[in-house]
């Protein structure tokens, strides 16, 4: 295994990385390179005041290294707030592997990644995210004990997606209560972008509540999985922003709430499971308030998955997980109540609540 580059490249890239770490408040970033397996990964550890940094591993064919770095920094910071607002004793971290999960994911690559995780001695606990599944976590566990989201037959709690989906669904109900006066979703038109691990379970909940569901995905097989089970309307990925719907549910990648889409979206509510939905937390969070759009903070909405993963770490049962995920409804209402009463960016309100817990517990921790 090797780390590094030519001296000149190391010099220039480390300056910009340190600047970014300073701006975003990260503790540590680890570049992982394994020539033989082709592994190129970045682990971002944002904040470990509440506990070890836990966050998923994403495999994605990033356009370039900067895009991968930006993603891991944003995602790991999001985990700090997510784990805090979820009431978990976990810090924030995340990892990305640069590559196509459909064609470049191999046992050697995953095990090489596992070795880097092990070397961090528990500061980072990995789990699944886009491009990963619980059987990949099993492969990674051959090289590290700091892995969660393991399959049930290995004592894990399996795929966290159903809990992420359930948390997203209860958040939608809370947002609907604020927007439409009732938390019933019956008859609501919902546009779900992304029919992946989480999206398909969200669609299941919506169909059960008699919503009119529009879906899109970039992969035909994902769409087929959903259309073979549910009565949904398939639209082109680009069309999703122009639909006349009540709720836009971003359930694919981040930054889909941006200048362009905010001009096009007609839905008064945005609630989805995707991480980092706001392209710019400040600009686009503020824009939602100005436009009268109820936006439920992504890291709160999608915290069901990490609650389930944490249950595996602390060996809690499914009832504990279910109870904790149910609380996302009240937490969403609390955030939206403050946001609407004060006409303030909901993402910022939720971040303040999360940061307050970190600050309070930091004071507790310094005492013997
Ligand atoms: P996934 O990879 O299974 O699903 C994402 C889906 O989105 C894929 O089917 C993909 O083809 C599709 N997609 C990608 N780009 C698209 C586009 N432009 N238009 C339409 N579809 C597109 O991932 P997932 O596990 O379902 O996660 C979805 C989102 O939720 C991610 O942002 C992830 O970080 C977040 N999230 C997931 C969990 C979890 O428990 N899996 C927990 C918290 C947050």
């Amino acid at each position: 295994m090797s780390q590094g580059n030519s001296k000149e490249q190391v010099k220039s890239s480390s300056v910009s990385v340190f600047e970014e770490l300073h701006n975003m408040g990260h503790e540590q970033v680890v570049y992982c390179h394994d020539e033989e397996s082709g592994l190129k990964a970045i682990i971002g550890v944002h904040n470990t005041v509440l506990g070890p940094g836990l966050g998923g591993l994403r495999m994605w064919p990033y356009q370039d290294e900067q895009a991968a770095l930006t993603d891991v920094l944003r995602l790991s910071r999001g985990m700090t707030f997510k784990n805090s607002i979820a009431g978990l004793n976990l810090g924030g971290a995340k990892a990305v592997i640069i590559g196509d999960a459909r064609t470049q994911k191999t046992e050697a690559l995953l095990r090489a990644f596992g070795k880097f995780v092990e070397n961090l001695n528990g500061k980072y606990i990995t789990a699944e995210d886009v491009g990963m599944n619980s059987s990949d976590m099993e492969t990674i566990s051959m090289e590290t004990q700091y892995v969660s989201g393991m399959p049930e037959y290995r004592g894990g709690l399996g795929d966290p997606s159903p809990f992420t989906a359930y948390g997203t669904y209860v958040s939608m109900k809370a947002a609907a209560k604020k927007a439409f006066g009732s938390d019933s979703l019956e008859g609501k038109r919902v546009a779900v972008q992304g029919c992946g691990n989480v999206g398909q379970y969200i669609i299941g909940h919506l169909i059960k509540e008699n919503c009119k569901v529009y879906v899109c995905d970039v992969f035909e097989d994902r769409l087929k999985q959903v259309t073979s089970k549910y009565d949904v309307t398939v639209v082109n990925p680009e069309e999703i922003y122009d639909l006349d719907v009540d709720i836009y549910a971003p359930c694919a990648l981040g930054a889909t709430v941006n200048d362009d889409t905010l001009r096009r979206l007609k839905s008064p509510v945005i609630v989805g499971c995707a991480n980092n939905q706001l392209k710019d937390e400040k600009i686009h969070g503020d824009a939602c308030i100005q436009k009268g759009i109820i936006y439920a903070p992504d890291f709160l909405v999608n915290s069901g998955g990490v609650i389930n993963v944490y249950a595996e770490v602390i060996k809690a049962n499914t009832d504990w997980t279910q109870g904790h995920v149910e609380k996302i409804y009240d937490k969403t209402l609390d955030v939206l109540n403050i946001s609407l009463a004060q006409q303030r960016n909901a993402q910022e309100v939720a971040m303040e609540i999360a940061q307050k817990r970190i600050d309070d517990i930091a004071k507790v921790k310094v005492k013997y």
Side-chain angles (χ1 to χ4, degrees):
M1 305 220 177
S2 61
Q3 290 177 343
N5 227 312
S6 78
K7 267 187 185 163
E8 207 40 52
Q9 280 167 313
V10 168
K11 196 178 166 209
S12 60
S13 71
S14 58
V15 170
S16 84
V17 172
F18 276 117
E19 265 170 23
E20 294 206 51
L21 302 195
H22 170 75
N23 292 339
M24 296 185 73
H26 282 75
E27 291 177 11
Q28 190 175 8
V29 168
V30 183
Y31 278 76
C32 315
H33 179 225
D34 179 52
E35 192 72 48
E36 291 76 19
S37 64
L39 176 77
K40 282 185 182 167
I42 312 176
I43 300 171
V45 180
H46 181 255
N47 184 298
T48 56
V49 169
L50 293 177
L54 185 146
L57 165 64
R58 175 175 291 193
M59 186 162 181
W60 192 253
Y62 292 98
Q63 222 176 350
D64 53 39
E65 289 168 25
Q66 183 58 46
L69 177 67
T70 302
D71 207 29
V72 79
L73 293 183
R74 279 168 61 100
L75 290 166
S76 51
R77 178 171 169 271
M79 287 310 299
T80 296
F81 296 119
K82 185 185 308 196
N83 290 335
S84 175
I85 207 161
L88 311 179
N89 289 324
L90 291 173
K94 198 97 180 179
V96 297
I97 294 179
I98 301 171
D100 188 335
R102 290 187 173 226
T103 56
Q104 292 173 297
K105 190 163 67 179
T106 63
E107 179 189 347
L109 179 119
L110 292 174
R111 291 181 67 163
F113 174 77
K115 272 192 184 281
F116 281 100
V117 174
E118 184 65 17
N119 288 345
L120 283 171
N121 246 326
K123 192 169 189 175
Y124 170 57
I125 303 172
T126 198
E128 66 183 271
D129 191 56
V130 176
M132 290 290 143
N133 55 44
S134 52
S135 112
D136 296 327
M137 295 305 116
E138 189 180 15
T139 305
I140 290 170
S141 78
M142 293 180 201
E143 303 297 338
T144 182
Q145 57 190 300
Y146 304 113
V147 54
S148 52
M150 293 275 283
E152 280 155 279
Y153 58 80
R154 287 290 309 276
L157 292 177
D159 180 11
S161 306
F163 286 104
T164 307
Y166 189 67
T168 307
Y169 167 67
V170 298
S171 275
M172 266 186 206
K173 288 176 85 63
K177 189 168 184 177
K178 299 308 297 177
F180 312 119
S182 159
D183 70 7
S184 167
L185 297 177
E186 171 115 34
K188 293 282 176 281
R189 297 154 303 167
V190 187
V192 180
Q193 179 186 47
C195 306
N197 294 329
V198 186
Q200 55 181 297
Y201 288 107
I202 295 174
I203 293 163
H205 289 300
L206 297 174
I207 292 291
K208 219 164 152 188
E209 205 167 330
N210 294 322
C211 295
K212 166 84 185 130
V213 182
Y214 298 84
V215 303
C216 72
D217 202 289
V218 288
F219 290 116
E220 206 48 47
D221 55 342
R222 293 289 201 159
L223 284 171
K224 273 206 188 115
Q225 264 174 357
V226 165
T227 51
S228 64
K229 265 204 267 180
Y230 305 115
D231 182 12
V232 294
T233 304
V234 176
V235 299
N236 287 325
E238 257 310 301
E239 246 183 284
I240 201 94
Y241 305 113
D242 302 310
L243 299 175
D244 192 8
V245 291
D246 301 296
I247 302 175
Y248 163 55
C251 300
L253 296 180
T256 65
V257 181
N258 54 47
D259 290 344
D260 171 48
T261 58
L262 280 172
R263 263 193 299 272
R264 294 160 62 185
L265 286 170
K266 296 180 186 74
S267 59
V269 173
I270 301 176
V271 183
C273 69
N275 281 307
N276 301 328
Q277 291 164 30
L278 301 172
K279 185 166 185 202
D280 182 295
E281 277 162 4
K282 175 80 190 132
I283 296 170
H284 301 112
D286 284 358
C288 285
I289 281 286
Q290 282 149 17
K291 284 176 165 278
I293 295 174
I294 292 188
Y295 163 79
D298 49 9
F299 64 86
L300 168 58
V301 168
N302 67 23
S303 57
V306 78
I307 291 170
N308 183 59
V309 168
Y310 183 63
E312 185 175 319
V313 175
I314 63 167
K315 304 199 182 339
N317 64 18
T318 311
D319 289 346
W320 179 91
T321 309
Q322 184 67 22
H324 240 72
V325 175
E326 302 271 359
K327 288 182 192 160
I328 295 174
Y329 177 91
D330 284 334
K331 290 182 184 185
T332 305
L333 266 188
D334 289 346
V335 169
L336 294 180
N337 282 335
I338 298 171
S339 160
L340 293 170
Q342 301 178 0
Q343 282 298 290
R344 284 179 54 218
N345 186 325
Q347 189 87 351
E348 284 183 357
V349 170
M351 281 162 64
E352 278 169 20
I353 293 170
Q355 188 62 52
K356 182 170 184 322
R357 177 167 177 251
I358 294 169
D359 295 343
D360 289 349
I361 301 305
K363 285 177 209 148
V364 173
K365 284 198 169 188
V366 292
K367 291 180 191 143
Y368 181 69

